[in-house]
Amino acid sequence: MGIFSSVASKKQNLIHNKFKNRTLTYLSIPYCASLIISGLVVIGNLNITFAIITILIMFAIQHIVKGPYYSLTNRYLNSFSNPEINTKIYSAKALVEGLFRFLISLLASFLLEHLNTSYSLILIGCIFMIILVLLLDYMRTRVGLKPEEYKKSDIEFTFVK
């Protein structure tokens, strides 16, 4: 799976050029869908060979998405920054990611305590798909704009003492 991730990461520039401002959408939706499909395949009591192949393909999709995601995230965070504030941006990113990983781990632990793995995958996939659609709708007018379309206050950084 690491090979899939590294090959996809190497193609991040191609992905960015092809999808432009829709890159997050084209990376996130397949990830959420792969979680849902993996859970449905297990629940469906399908042929074991078909189920294993399908689940491996879904895991491959997840890793193909992860590769360029990390590269492109760093690229996007540097879009309107300079070395002086990059540390602050990456610190904030690490803090927010850590917090969300903690919350997701709690949710997964709770779900796995009450449901089996396949139902947990489906539920997490559906929850994230709903959150993703709401987030993408919110971001439509705020992120991925041309530099001149942003308000000056959105792209200027003020140091607070």
Side-chain angles (χ1 to χ4, degrees):
M1 296 301 162
I3 293 170
F4 287 123
S5 186
S6 63
V7 169
S9 181
K10 192 170 182 176
K11 303 288 185 189
Q12 59 90 20
N13 201 37
L14 177 74
I15 292 168
H16 170 73
N17 290 334
K18 182 173 183 174
F19 298 123
K20 304 267 187 226
N21 294 346
R22 308 294 295 162
T23 303
L24 178 63
T25 304
Y26 287 107
L27 291 178
S28 303
I29 290 176
Y31 193 91
C32 293
S34 70
L35 292 173
I36 296 167
I37 292 169
S38 295
L40 290 173
V41 165
V42 173
I43 290 172
N45 290 327
L46 304 172
N47 177 332
I48 189 72
T49 305
F50 176 76
I52 290 172
I53 290 170
T54 304
I55 290 171
L56 286 174
I57 290 170
M58 294 304 113
F59 284 163
I61 288 171
Q62 290 173 13
H63 283 80
I64 288 168
V65 165
K66 282 182 186 178
Y69 168 79
Y70 291 113
S71 301
L72 290 169
T73 301
N74 290 337
R75 179 178 180 172
Y76 298 152
L77 288 175
N78 287 328
S79 290
F80 298 106
S81 67
N82 57 44
E84 187 178 344
I85 63 169
N86 279 347
T87 305
K88 292 172 180 29
I89 291 171
Y90 287 119
S91 296
K93 175 186 176 239
L95 179 68
V96 170
E97 281 183 347
L99 178 65
F100 277 105
R101 284 183 183 161
F102 169 72
L103 294 173
I104 291 166
S105 296
L106 281 178
L107 173 66
S109 297
F110 175 79
L111 289 175
L112 288 170
E113 187 176 331
H114 299 288
L115 302 171
N116 65 27
T117 307
S118 55
Y119 286 107
S120 296
L121 276 174
I122 293 169
L123 193 55
I124 288 173
C126 289
I127 289 170
F128 288 144
M129 186 72 82
I130 291 167
I131 291 171
L132 176 67
V133 168
L134 295 173
L135 184 63
L136 289 171
D137 186 51
Y138 175 78
M139 289 175 28
R140 184 172 316 193
T141 59
R142 293 169 179 86
V143 179
L145 306 173
K146 294 176 184 162
E148 62 272 5
E149 293 175 329
Y150 285 101
K151 291 185 282 186
K152 190 175 182 180
S153 62
D154 288 342
I155 57 175
E156 282 189 354
F157 183 79
T158 307
F159 287 99
V160 178
K161 293 184 181 193

